[in-house]
Amino acid sequence: MATTFKEYRDEQLKNPEIKKEYDALAPEYAIVRAMLEARTSQGITQQQLAEKTGIRQGDISKLDRGNGYPSLRTLQR
């Protein structure tokens, strides 16, 4: 039986330790989500955002794909 990511995540979040760590990441991911939504709504390319923020375009690409974990330093930029 195939399991979706949501089903897997929900099962894992029943573990209090995992839920605590997952919840601790929520503020960072909210910032990333807001940044990406603002970038796309304004029609700014990854390269343009990189030039404005000093964040490497490759790092912005990773965030867009959900493959990167932003450092606090990156988010502060």
Side-chain angles (χ1 to χ4, degrees), residues 12-73:
Q12 294 302 307
L13 290 176
K14 291 177 184 177
N15 178 322
E17 290 179 30
I18 293 175
K19 174 115 173 72
K20 179 181 174 185
E21 292 298 321
Y22 182 85
D23 291 345
L25 295 173
E28 287 92 346
Y29 283 103
I31 293 168
V32 170
R33 223 176 0 267
M35 179 184 76
L36 298 176
E37 288 173 6
R39 181 184 74 74
T40 56
S41 72
Q42 294 179 22
I44 297 172
T45 67
Q46 291 177 354
Q47 185 59 43
Q48 290 169 322
L49 183 60
E51 291 167 3
K52 289 176 183 263
T53 62
I55 300 170
R56 294 179 339 144
Q57 185 272 329
D59 291 336
I60 293 170
S61 176
K62 288 177 187 175
L63 295 175
D64 273 358
R65 293 188 318 258
N67 294 336
Y69 178 76
S71 69
L72 182 58
R73 182 175 178 224

